[in-house]
Amino acid sequence: MDFVKVEREGGVATLTIDRQDKLNAISPQLVEEIGQSLLEIESEGPRVIVVTGAGEKAFVAGADITAMSAMSPTEAKRFAEIGHAAMALLDKSPIPTIAAVNGFALGGGCEIALACDIRIAAENALFGFPEVGLGILPGMGGTQRLPRLVGPAVAKELIFSARRIDAAEAQEIGLVNRVVPQGEALSAALELADQIATNGPLAVRYAKAAANKALDTDLVNGLEYEADQFALLFSTEDSREGMGAFSEKRKPEFTGN
Ligand code: COA
């Protein structure tokens, strides 16, 4: 991998997008590296994945405009499809994902953050969708995930205007979960990841699947899915361990079985 670094500490895998001379802009090669890295990370079974950008200035300053300016419609479609596949590896991954947004999160950067389950932003982070100002539109899931997260009216305003918003406004509209001081997004994300990693890994995985289901289905089917996932966990050793530990007034030791 030229532009993606993966580190593993305990149950937490950190994927860093590292193309600092271009503010971590996403080229076709980079989006493939992100997808490939996520597949490898998932096969190693960490309990949480944290995604961040290298350096202090940018999380990801968008898709690579230089590369896109030379694309034919067919190449652009392929770029979008590869991007969608990579984002699905975050969104649909059984493992919870946290974006540590440490600076510019524009266009594709915002879309990577949106594909994660949770977003923690440094106070210098800037969010926005500049695409329409370039004569294109968000093509890595932004038109679909942003309305689901912040509602259609706010999403349309941001996408149609290409207005940049700071971390405080991003938190106000529900785009980010939490804002932390500059330089602390990654450490805050890792702290949260460690906290998630202490919980039953299967329980967290099934809870993620159930919460995702809420976005794809109606309440009746969503509740049925929840009941099935709830029941399934009662067949795991971890559920016996977790509830048993409560009765025995000790900390549970989860194995993921
Ligand atoms: N695609 C390609 N290259 C990019 C890029 C992108 N999305 N974002 C930044 N870069 C490159 C710049 O071209 C520059 O390269 P160079 O040194 O070879 O000229 C380098 O990264 C540094 O960026 P620069 O613009 O000099 O930094 P800045 O601090 O003046 O401005 C931004 C930062 C983020 C405001 C500005 O880079 C920008 O507007 N980027 C594009 C954002 C965008 O529209 N993203 C959505 C794309 S769909």
Side-chain angles (χ1 to χ4, degrees):
M1 301 285 164
D2 294 329
F3 302 121
V4 171
K5 289 187 184 136
V6 177
E7 287 161 291
R8 176 86 188 255
E9 184 143 353
V12 181
T14 303
L15 184 156
T16 304
I17 298 165
D18 189 355
R19 193 188 174 209
Q20 290 186 58
D21 61 328
K22 298 291 177 192
L23 302 184
N24 305 326
I26 306 287
S27 62
Q29 179 186 340
L30 183 38
V31 79
E32 287 199 27
E33 288 189 15
I34 292 171
Q36 188 58 38
S37 302
L38 287 169
L39 280 173
E40 284 169 21
I41 290 171
E42 195 177 312
S43 70
E44 289 164 9
R47 294 193 176 183
V48 185
I49 300 170
V50 172
V51 180
T52 195
E56 284 299 305
K57 194 170 168 183
F59 175 67
V60 167
D64 187 323
I65 300 168
T66 312
M68 287 194 298
S69 65
M71 283 180 190
S72 67
T74 309
E75 288 165 337
K77 177 92 188 279
R78 189 75 196 123
F79 187 43
E81 286 171 346
I82 293 171
H84 289 161
M87 294 308 98
L89 289 169
L90 290 167
D91 193 2
K92 303 290 181 210
S93 167
I95 302 164
T97 53
I98 305 173
V101 183
N102 52 316
F104 288 113
L106 302 174
C110 215
E111 290 171 304
I112 292 172
L114 280 171
C116 290
D117 298 314
I118 296 164
R119 285 150 291 280
I120 295 182
E123 57 195 2
N124 64 314
L126 277 173
F127 298 83
F129 289 88
E131 286 89 345
V132 294
L134 299 164
I136 56 176
L137 59 74
M140 225 161 61
T143 66
Q144 303 306 300
R145 290 195 178 92
L146 189 65
R148 284 169 164 81
L149 188 65
V150 304
V154 174
K156 286 173 182 172
E157 182 200 324
L158 290 178
I159 293 170
F160 298 171
S161 68
R163 182 169 70 86
R164 279 189 212 158
I165 61 170
D166 63 16
E169 187 173 351
Q171 184 177 26
E172 214 170 279
I173 63 171
L175 177 54
V176 302
N177 296 61
R178 200 183 305 165
V179 180
V180 297
Q182 183 169 351
E184 292 180 20
L186 181 58
S187 55
L190 291 172
E191 199 177 313
L192 177 60
D194 283 340
Q195 194 181 347
I196 293 171
T198 64
N199 296 317
L202 294 173
V204 173
R205 284 176 174 224
Y206 292 6
K208 172 171 173 172
N212 275 350
K213 184 62 86 179
L215 301 171
D216 294 338
T217 194
D218 58 77
L219 185 61
V220 170
N221 284 301
L223 290 174
E224 194 179 327
Y225 184 81
E226 182 189 79
D228 286 343
Q229 299 301 100
F230 182 70
L232 203 51
L233 284 168
F234 283 71
S235 67
T236 65
E237 287 172 18
D238 277 353
S239 67
R240 302 295 153 211
E241 170 62 14
M243 292 186 278
F246 175 79
S247 307
E248 292 161 20
K249 300 191 188 305
R250 61 174 174 82
K251 278 194 172 169
E253 284 180 28
F254 295 115
T255 60
N257 294 303

